[in-house]
Amino acid sequence: MREIIRLFSDRDSRDELGLGQIRDAISDGLFPGTSTLLTRARYLLFVPWCLQKAAQRPDPVKEADRYERLLIGAIKDTSDTAGLLGMRAGAALRNLPSGVYWSMLRHYGILSDPDMSREDAVRLPQLARSIDDLDGENHAKLHVWSSSLPPAPEGFPTDAPGGFSLSRVEAEWLRDRILDGAPDTLMSHLLVAPPARDSPAPWRDESALLVGGEPRTLLDHAKAFSAVMQGAQLLYNLLIAEEYETAGLDKVADPVAGYRERIEKWSAALPAHVDLATWDLAALLRSVEIERGAPVHPSSRRFVEDWVALLRASDPSGLADDDVARAFLVRRERQHKGAQARIGNRARLAGWGGESGAGAMTYRWATVRGILTDIHEGLAR
């Protein structure tokens, strides 16, 4: 439960104003197959190894669970435990690594059939062996996992030699899977040009800025969308902060002054991120719908289009006191959140922690940067 709560404190996983469909489609276009839940690259090997080993046991589903939990203790015994799923919960962990990484395993061809479920993956080898016994054919050679998957180390998963550190062979293998599964994306570009360890956003990373073609166009749109919509996110939080202080709540210190200052800094920096007069929002929304394979929800589309029109017709430096913008966001929260809206709801105000999705969207950057860093460190061994 603590890990789930921690997830929803991640600014990239909050969706207070209904921007999630657009944000996630941009994230998928830049970094296919990823999610905010990912932590370390070697889980893309740990999960297949656990399920391969379990498939050899009489009760493969039960053994798969057990092996994934055994892995927690094995990693805890190493010097690098950052990103360990189950660090707090231990063997009681509910959200197992296979659940977290299944989408990425499917997308990059590590799982041979993308339609296969976790239960299929552990039961199919046993089923194939049973059919062999009946008809004499060699179905057991059917591959659940990529036929080039590197072998598990000796003693795995009771022991995890190297912990989260990828060997050079493992890193090369993962690099090739991602290059094959996400060609002509920012993800594949960054496997050739490694990102900086501490860059706060992809458009502030020197390697990412070297990308060209369609990935660069999408990156520029991502930067513009993040900057434009952060104004709405900050003003929304200012409205909450004002009601919070008016209600006499004081667990958060001086939130109104803090958000006014943040809006001032945002408006000063906005022209460096986007030219509002020339930015082609319609082109971005077309890209988003192509990536999603479905239209953006009409209310989300209208909200974004109307917000951009509002900024174009006004002075962003006066946003904090813009009555039209304030009323617009009050209506949007009520439309999107209904009874869960904070503005005008004292009970919900009391639970406000000082920030409700106010951070700039970075499209899973911190997560992806960590995965890519693990791979590049392996390639350097």
Side-chain angles (χ1 to χ4, degrees):
M1 182 61 73
R2 290 191 192 101
E3 293 191 356
I4 292 171
I5 291 169
R6 179 170 54 81
L7 163 67
F8 284 100
S9 70
D10 186 326
R11 65 183 58 182
D12 260 10
S13 65
R14 301 294 290 268
D15 187 21
E16 300 292 344
L17 295 174
L19 300 172
Q21 286 187 346
I22 301 172
R23 177 201 64 204
D24 291 347
I26 295 172
S27 303
D28 290 341
L30 294 170
F31 310 116
T34 62
S35 78
T36 56
L37 293 168
L38 307 181
T39 56
R40 303 298 296 265
R42 208 177 186 207
Y43 272 121
L44 294 167
L45 293 160
F46 286 160
V47 171
W49 289 341
C50 283
L51 271 56
Q52 271 186 333
K53 188 178 179 75
Q56 301 170 19
R57 308 293 294 172
D59 188 344
V61 175
K62 180 179 178 180
E63 289 301 297
D65 276 21
R66 188 171 75 87
Y67 290 148
E68 289 194 62
R69 296 177 201 285
L70 277 175
L71 182 61
I72 298 169
I75 299 295
K76 278 186 177 181
D77 289 339
T78 69
S79 59
D80 179 8
T81 59
L84 173 61
L85 300 178
M87 184 67 185
R88 297 181 182 87
L93 179 69
R94 296 293 298 274
N95 198 15
L96 293 172
S98 54
V100 172
Y101 283 83
W102 204 253
S103 176
M104 199 169 184
L105 292 168
R106 292 168 56 194
H107 190 93
Y108 290 111
I110 298 171
L111 186 69
S112 63
D113 181 351
D115 294 326
M116 197 178 298
S117 69
R118 178 179 181 272
E119 184 169 342
D120 292 337
V122 292
R123 290 194 183 279
L124 182 60
Q126 193 173 86
L127 177 61
R129 288 193 294 271
S130 298
I131 296 173
D132 285 350
D133 292 340
L134 292 174
D135 63 14
E137 297 292 329
N138 192 5
H139 300 90
K141 287 187 176 178
L142 292 172
H143 291 293
V144 172
W145 304 101
S146 166
S147 59
S148 59
L149 178 72
E154 191 71 28
F156 182 87
T158 305
D159 295 316
F164 283 125
S165 297
L166 291 164
S167 70
R168 183 178 178 87
V169 168
E170 293 166 356
E172 288 175 341
W173 184 81
L174 280 178
R175 177 198 60 196
D176 292 348
R177 300 287 72 68
I178 296 174
L179 288 173
D180 287 346
D184 197 26
T185 62
L186 183 57
M187 185 84 167
S188 60
H189 166 79
L190 290 169
L191 281 169
V192 178
R197 284 177 166 273
D198 56 355
S199 52
W203 48 87
R204 294 178 62 186
D205 185 274
E206 291 184 7
S207 293
L209 291 173
L210 296 174
V211 75
E214 291 184 10
R216 180 54 188 260
T217 299
L218 182 56
L219 179 60
D220 290 342
H221 276 311
K223 175 184 177 182
F225 185 73
S226 176
V228 166
M229 299 315 300
Q230 195 185 12
Q233 295 165 303
L234 291 172
L235 181 56
Y236 168 66
N237 276 272
L238 174 61
L239 295 173
I240 296 173
E242 289 173 347
E243 290 209 357
Y244 184 88
E245 288 190 359
T246 300
L249 300 167
D250 59 5
K251 287 185 178 179
V252 179
D254 300 321
V256 171
Y259 276 106
R260 283 187 169 275
E261 181 180 353
R262 289 178 70 176
I263 290 173
E264 184 178 339
K265 290 180 178 178
W266 164 81
S267 66
L270 185 62
H273 288 82
V274 58
D275 182 344
L276 280 170
T278 61
W279 180 43
D280 192 349
L281 173 61
L284 170 61
L285 293 175
R286 284 195 297 272
S287 296
V288 163
E289 292 184 336
I290 291 170
E291 181 65 39
R292 295 186 71 240
V296 173
H297 194 282
S299 68
S300 296
R301 173 184 278 273
R302 283 194 301 271
F303 169 55
V304 170
E305 290 174 337
D306 290 349
W307 178 255
V308 172
L310 187 154
L311 290 182
R312 285 172 172 162
S314 61
D315 181 1
S317 66
L319 183 66
D321 298 305
D322 188 322
D323 290 337
V324 174
R326 284 167 163 262
F328 176 69
L329 286 179
V330 170
R331 290 194 302 272
R332 175 56 182 169
E333 190 202 31
R334 288 175 182 164
Q335 177 193 49
H336 179 59
K337 301 186 73 174
Q340 297 301 308
R342 291 187 189 274
I343 299 171
N345 185 334
R346 183 183 172 88
R348 293 279 292 152
L349 281 174
W352 184 59
E355 180 167 323
S356 290
M361 288 177 276
T362 57
Y363 311 101
R364 309 172 191 157
W365 176 245
T367 296
V368 171
R369 187 188 62 208
I371 296 289
L372 291 167
T373 296
D374 278 350
I375 293 173
H376 280 291
E377 286 181 352
L379 292 173
R381 290 193 175 93

